[in-house]
């Protein structure tokens, strides 16, 4: 279930986060990244400065919609990473990478409108594009390390990087489909799984 539908306090926090992100992205598109301050963002999003910084420690984070890349060593993901490292949960690398991606996406609050606006913002700001590329690289290196620990030294870093490269490409493809989709279309996590299955089909691998 999406965090936006969870109900109660979690739902209110998710809606506040989305409101802040959308306001930050609109300000960025209207005035440029350097054309507004965090105080102006707080006013636009109708939150206090303290609340704003509780959600996002910097303007970059607010525009991108995440304070940082997911960390596989964090308490919420450590168990998932350990299960993957141990060969689970399904015993097939492709399916287990898909499951890992699902858990990583569950740590983010992403709605279609913010996803559409973020892609527009990124194309207009090389600085932000560089930041998100750097964050992707950091996360990708963590996953490559997990794959090598799981599969053993004979698997090799080239295969590990190819596997993770496919996952990143699938995520980008799924994000594009999600951003362009309708409200009743599949959620991002489901699209990632669907696109991974398409990759497996294209290369003649087992999809179930």
């Amino acid at each position: 279930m999406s965090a936006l539908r969870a109900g109660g306090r979690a739902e209110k926090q998710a809606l506040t986060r989305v409101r802040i992100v959308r306001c930050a992205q609109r300000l960025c598109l209207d005035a440029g990244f350097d054309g507004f301050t965090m105080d102006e963002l707080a006013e636009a999003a109708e939150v206090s400065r303290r609340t704003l910084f509780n959600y996002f420690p910097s303007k970059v984070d607010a525009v991108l919609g995440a304070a940082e890349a997911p960390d596989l060593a964090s308490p919420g993901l450590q168990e998932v990473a350990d299960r993957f490292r141990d060969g689970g949960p399904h015993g097939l690398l492709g399916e287990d990478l898909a499951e890992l991606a699902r858990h990583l996406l569950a740590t983010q609050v992403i709605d279609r409108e913010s996803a559409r606006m973020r892609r527009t913002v990124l194309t207009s700001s090389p600085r932000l594009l560089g930041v998100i590329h750097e964050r992707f690289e950091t996360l990708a290196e963590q996953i490559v390390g997990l794959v090598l620990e799981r599969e053993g030294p004979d698997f090799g870093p080239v295969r590990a990087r190819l596997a993770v490269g496919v996952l990143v490409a699938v995520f980008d493809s799924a994000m594009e489909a999600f951003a362009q989709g309708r409200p009743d279309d599949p959620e991002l996590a489901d699209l990632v799984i669907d696109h991974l299955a398409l990759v497996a089909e294209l290369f003649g691998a087992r999809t179930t």
Side-chain angles (χ1 to χ4, degrees), residues 17 48-57 67:
R17 180 179 293 270
S48 69
R49 178 181 172 86
R50 179 179 179 181
T51 296
L52 174 59
F53 278 95
N54 282 340
Y55 280 93
F56 299 107

Side-chain angles (χ1 to χ4, degrees), residues 99-111:
E99 190 67 22
L100 183 62
R102 184 188 291 275
H103 284 282
L104 289 170
L105 288 171
T107 68
Q108 310 294 303
V109 177
I110 305 173
D111 68 295

